[in-house]
Amino acid sequence: MALLTCSNLSLGYEGKEIIGNLSFEVNEGDYLCIVGENGSGKSTLMKTILGLNSPLGGSVTTGGGLKQTEIGYLPQQTDVQRDFPASVWEIVLSGCQNRQGFRPFYGKAEKALAKMNMEKLGLTQLSGRCYREHSGGQQQRVLLARALCATQKMLLLDEPVSGLDPKVTAEMYEIIKELNEKDGITIIMISHDIEAALTYADKILHIGKSVFFGSAEEYKKTAGAFTSAKGGARE
């Protein structure tokens, strides 16, 4: 079942197109990695899927009962965000905002969901501590728990291991894999790590001078895989 369908998308800034005629489909349970050259529009595509940017043309539609507001999102952090003076609990709980509706306070259901996601990611002992006191890896776990509070179906991750050391990177990849395989959450992840993309993802979307959409096994056979691995895919 298709949870997300992008049809003939045209994306860009101030009317200048950077991606044109892009079409692909993400099914329930997929693990899709988006790769490509610097400036190819990977983050722009993700923000368009979330409804944060408007396409120049084409459409983005959701299916399978998924609403655009029910997609969990883990963006790249800025230095200001890394220094945010809120508790771990407050940040994770804020992922329930779309569930809150017009109520002025979070209810028992939202608090229980936040607690469950913190337990899942090993954050319970950090609950009352300030977010900015933690390492990059711990902060990413907090933001991932926050994103999980927004969804039970789809996560969008914008380079979630950027700046992390190899050990923490491997741990984060395993967490994401488990969310996909055990919890059934559909993953869409921007990555500049081609080796990891081909290890964990079952589908690849390569955008840039050339466009590829298909299985990871098919992508391995293309010249695009070699080009990306040599040149990097970070936007």
Side-chain angles (χ1 to χ4, degrees):
M1 177 185 297
L3 292 184
L4 179 75
T5 302
C6 296
S7 302
N8 301 314
L9 271 185
S10 175
L11 307 177
Y13 300 98
E14 300 177 351
K16 182 179 179 181
E17 184 180 271
I18 57 174
I19 303 175
N21 197 34
L22 178 65
S23 297
F24 65 95
E25 187 175 274
V26 181
N27 294 320
E28 187 174 0
D30 280 352
Y31 190 145
L32 170 69
C33 269
I34 303 174
V35 301
E37 296 82 6
N38 292 345
S40 60
K42 300 183 295 296
S43 292
T44 301
L45 172 59
M46 189 165 280
K47 290 176 182 177
T48 302
I49 292 171
L50 290 163
L52 303 176
N53 288 351
S54 299
L56 300 179
S59 63
V60 177
T61 57
T62 57
L66 176 68
K67 298 177 182 178
Q68 199 171 48
T69 56
E70 296 173 337
I71 298 174
Y73 178 42
L74 196 164
Q76 293 188 50
Q77 282 202 92
T78 65
D79 289 337
V80 171
Q81 290 168 330
R82 291 188 183 95
D83 199 38
F84 195 66
S87 72
V88 168
W89 169 251
E90 288 170 328
I91 288 179
V92 174
L93 186 58
S94 70
C96 295
Q97 283 182 344
N98 286 331
R99 299 175 181 273
Q100 188 179 357
F102 294 105
R103 288 179 285 113
F105 304 105
Y106 295 108
K108 291 182 179 179
E110 289 86 26
K111 292 178 180 178
L113 179 62
K115 182 179 179 181
M116 180 188 73
N117 286 322
M118 289 183 66
E119 290 174 351
K120 182 180 294 185
L121 294 180
L123 299 170
T124 303
Q125 299 302 317
L126 308 181
S127 178
R129 292 178 57 185
C130 187
Y131 173 76
R132 64 185 178 189
E133 296 175 357
H134 299 298
S135 67
Q138 289 171 325
Q139 288 188 349
Q140 286 299 84
R141 285 182 183 237
V142 172
L143 295 180
L144 184 55
R146 180 185 186 275
L148 285 171
C149 285
T151 189
Q152 294 179 323
K153 293 187 176 183
M154 180 180 286
L155 280 174
L156 269 59
L157 313 173
D158 193 347
E159 297 198 16
V161 300
S162 179
L164 303 183
D165 66 45
K167 180 177 183 295
V168 177
T169 291
E171 290 173 352
M172 182 62 69
Y173 279 137
E174 287 300 319
I175 289 170
I176 296 167
K177 177 183 177 182
E178 184 170 315
L179 290 173
N180 176 246
E181 294 183 351
K182 293 187 178 180
D183 294 0
I185 295 176
T186 302
I187 303 293
I188 301 177
M189 180 172 71
I190 292 175
S191 178
H192 67 276
D193 187 341
I194 298 299
E195 183 178 350
L198 294 174
T199 297
Y200 293 100
D202 50 48
K203 289 186 178 178
I204 302 290
L205 172 63
H206 177 110
I207 57 178
K209 294 179 181 179
S210 60
V211 174
F212 171 91
F213 175 67
S215 71
E217 289 301 316
E218 292 170 334
Y219 185 68
K220 289 178 184 178
K221 302 173 184 177
T222 68
F226 177 77
T227 301
S228 294
K230 290 284 287 184
R234 188 169 183 172
E235 186 173 351

